[in-house]
């Protein structure tokens, strides 16, 4: 049996007719940029997230850059984020000229440890970017409390968490702004790049609309220097078809995760594995199902031998990346994130994954610990 980490082909085949039709409609309309599909997707996602605005952009990285600009973050400012995430979460802070400040992570959810947050706040701190890693929500109650107390902006990096909830509120809708990525492998993935910012703040939304279009509100009149960051109509049309299935697919991911949780519990009880942690206040959407184990290498080899894909998320925390050497962090500074990077292993968990495949994967995991 060959089992991929994610089966985009199976998903496409399950909705092929609607996807193909949506693409052909765009071709037929010959409206490729800034058209009705993008506008409709913005309205649908704003309604879904319960936010006043949604602004489509070219990718999830741009969504963060533009949200940071709209929050007036720039040179001299510090922005606190997690070291255990995809590079873009912090790269974007540096890209607007600000300084990323990393806080260690919570050993249960692998999201920023809110109890360490206040120690990192200085007079230069302007914002916090909590990342809802693997679709598990950060402790937004505490993040918002700290942010309010210190007058900080909060930009949720919800690239991996569209549809997740925290105390009934959708990921992205709790902070000043929230960002999504429609990279093909994300829970709502296009067939190319795409991204979005959601916000309840009229000024932030307006600013991002201007920035994404060369700093212009009216064509050929530019009030500032901006960017070219747009979601094209073909991607928007594809995403609108897939968006109709998002809740169902997220529920299916949760169901697969629950099956793993049950089947792997004995190994976790014996201390051989750490299963993905949960926050009872949150509805997680399992962008990835990430185990932690000291036997990662043996597990990965055994899975590979049987044609089962697995992957390391993430091999190196951001504070130890060469690109951030200038920040001066040392090994040992953020021990929980560093340990997670030596233990984390994602196993297949996607809506189309069959129960027999999960059972096969679990069997391989047990065989490693029994040998
Ligand atoms: C994917 C991702 C991004 C970047 O999104 P792109 O669309 O690839 O630019 C940012 N943050 C996190 C946590 C991500 O997983």
């Amino acid at each position: 049996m060959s089992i991929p980490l994610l089966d985009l082909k199976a998903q496409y085949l399950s909705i092929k007719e609607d996807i193909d039709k949506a693409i052909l409609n765009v071709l037929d309309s010959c409206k490729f940029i800034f058209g009705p599909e993008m506008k409709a997707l913005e309205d649908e996602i704003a309604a879904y997230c319960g936010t006043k605005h949604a602004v489509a952009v070219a990718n999830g990285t741009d969504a963060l850059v533009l949200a940071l600009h709209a929050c007036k973050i720039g040179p001299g400012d510090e922005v606190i984020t997690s070291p255990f995430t995809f590079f873009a979460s912090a790269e974007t802070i540096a890209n607007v000229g600000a300084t990323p400040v990393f806080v260690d992570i919570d050993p249960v959810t692998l999201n920023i440890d809110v109890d360490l947050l206040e120690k990192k706040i200085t007079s230069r701190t302007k914002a916090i970017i909590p990342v809802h890693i693997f679709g598990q929500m950060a402790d937004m109650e505490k993040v918002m409390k700290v942010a309010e107390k210190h007058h900080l902006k909060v930009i949720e990096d919800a690239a991996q968490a569209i549809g997740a909830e925290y105390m009934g509120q959708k990921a992205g809708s709790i902070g000043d702004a929230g960002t999504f990525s429609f990279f093909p492998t994300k829970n709502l993935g296009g067939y190319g790049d795409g991204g979005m910012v959601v916000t309840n703040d009229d000024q932030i939304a307006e600013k991002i609309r201007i920035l994404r279009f060369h700093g212009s509100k009216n064509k050929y009149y530019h009030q500032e220097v901006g960017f070219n960051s747009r979601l094209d109509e073909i991607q928007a049309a594809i995403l609108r078809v897939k968006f109709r299935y998002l809740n169902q697919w997220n529920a299916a991911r949760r169901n697969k995760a629950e099956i793993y949780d049950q089947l792997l519990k004995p190994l976790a009880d014996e201390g051989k594995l750490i299963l993905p942690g949960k926050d009872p206040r949150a509805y997680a959407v399992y962008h990835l199902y990430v185990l932690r184990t000291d036997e990662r290498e043996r597990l990965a080899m055994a899975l590979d031998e049987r044609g089962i894909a697995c992957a390391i998320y993430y091999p190196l925390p951001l504070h130890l990346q060469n690109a951030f050497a200038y920040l001066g962090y040392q090994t040992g500074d953020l021990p929980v994130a560093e340990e997670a990077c030596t233990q984390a292993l994602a196993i297949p968990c996607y809506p189309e994954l069959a129960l027999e495949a999960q059972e096969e994967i679990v069997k391989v995991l047990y065989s490693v610990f029994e040998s």
Side-chain angles (χ1 to χ4, degrees):
M1 195 185 315
S2 161
I3 307 171
L5 198 62
L6 175 67
D7 195 343
L8 287 179
K9 188 65 178 271
Q11 188 176 73
Y12 169 56
L13 292 177
S14 75
I15 54 172
K16 184 178 184 320
E17 214 173 302
D18 286 345
I19 292 279
D20 292 0
K21 208 164 72 191
I23 293 172
L24 288 173
N25 278 343
V26 174
L27 297 186
D28 202 45
S29 78
C30 281
K31 265 190 182 305
F32 295 117
I33 299 280
F34 273 141
E37 295 290 341
M38 186 197 80
K39 181 77 184 71
L41 181 69
E42 287 180 340
D43 292 346
E44 286 164 9
I45 290 199
Y48 179 74
C49 291
T51 55
K52 224 168 137 186
H53 308 279
V55 187
V57 296
N59 54 67
T61 305
D62 278 7
L64 282 167
V65 168
L66 298 186
L68 283 160
H69 276 300
C71 289
K72 303 189 174 72
I73 313 289
D77 297 336
E78 293 176 357
V79 179
I80 300 174
T81 193
S82 168
F84 189 72
T85 173
F86 179 59
F87 190 59
S89 306
E91 177 186 34
T92 50
I93 298 169
N95 261 329
V96 303
T99 303
V101 174
F102 297 107
V103 64
D104 209 359
I105 57 172
D106 176 276
V108 176
T109 65
L110 305 180
N111 286 311
I112 50 171
D113 186 335
V114 289
D115 294 324
L116 303 175
L117 208 47
E118 278 196 290
K119 288 190 201 121
K120 297 274 178 169
I121 295 174
T122 72
S123 58
R124 291 169 179 266
T125 308
K126 289 287 153 56
I128 306 169
I129 301 185
V131 184
H132 307 311
I133 204 70
F134 308 144
Q136 311 275 346
M137 295 284 294
D139 182 346
M140 288 307 292
E141 192 178 20
K142 189 74 192 280
V143 168
M144 295 311 289
K145 217 176 259 171
V146 171
E148 259 165 53
K149 185 172 156 198
H150 297 273
H151 310 289
L152 308 176
K153 296 281 188 201
V154 174
I155 300 170
E156 296 174 67
D157 182 346
Q160 301 185 1
I162 191 164
E165 290 178 16
Y166 187 84
M167 292 168 77
Q169 283 181 284
K170 282 279 189 313
S173 73
I174 303 167
D176 295 275
T179 64
F180 298 120
S181 163
F182 304 131
F183 188 80
T185 59
K186 300 287 158 85
N187 285 31
L188 177 61
Y191 293 162
D193 277 309
M196 195 165 285
V197 183
V198 291
T199 181
N200 286 310
D201 186 311
D202 295 344
Q203 282 177 337
I204 290 176
E206 173 76 357
K207 181 81 172 182
I208 294 171
R209 287 204 176 94
I210 291 168
L211 284 175
R212 74 174 170 181
F213 183 47
H214 302 287
S216 167
K217 221 163 147 177
N218 309 306
K219 219 173 182 179
Y220 305 125
Y221 292 87
H222 305 268
Q223 55 197 77
E224 62 186 299
V225 173
F227 299 83
N228 174 11
S229 185
R230 309 180 286 226
L231 182 72
D232 69 69
E233 285 290 285
I234 289 180
Q235 293 309 327
I238 291 164
L239 288 164
R240 287 187 68 209
V241 171
K242 293 185 76 174
F243 181 58
R244 302 205 296 262
Y245 299 89
L246 179 63
N247 279 344
Q248 178 187 323
W249 285 336
N250 278 343
R253 284 174 185 273
R254 285 173 58 83
N255 173 256
K256 314 293 165 191
E258 209 170 288
I259 290 168
Y260 277 136
D261 284 348
Q262 279 171 17
L263 296 177
L264 296 172
K265 189 172 181 299
L267 289 178
D269 288 344
E270 288 172 37
K272 291 176 170 149
L273 282 180
I274 303 173
L275 303 178
K278 296 189 182 80
D279 181 337
R281 294 164 294 184
Y283 179 91
V285 295
Y286 292 92
H287 172 59
L288 292 167
Y289 188 90
V290 176
L291 300 168
R292 278 173 286 163
T293 170
D294 291 329
E295 299 289 339
R296 177 166 76 184
E297 224 142 289
R298 283 175 62 214
L299 279 189
M301 260 167 52
L303 289 167
D304 187 57
E305 266 167 30
R306 287 164 181 83
I308 299 165
C310 60
I312 293 173
Y313 291 94
Y314 292 90
L316 187 66
L318 299 194
H319 67 288
L320 299 179
Q321 296 283 347
N322 282 337
F324 289 133
Y326 70 95
L327 295 173
Y329 288 89
Q330 304 291 324
T331 300
D333 285 347
L334 305 172
V336 184
E338 289 166 28
E339 184 175 44
C341 287
T342 68
Q343 296 180 323
L345 188 71
I347 57 173
C349 184
Y350 50 89
E352 301 79 12
L353 183 64
L355 178 60
E356 305 78 69
Q358 282 195 279
E359 287 168 346
E360 169 77 12
I361 293 163
V362 167
K363 216 162 67 187
V364 175
L365 298 184
Y366 272 89
S367 75
V368 170
F369 288 111
E370 276 154 14
S371 67

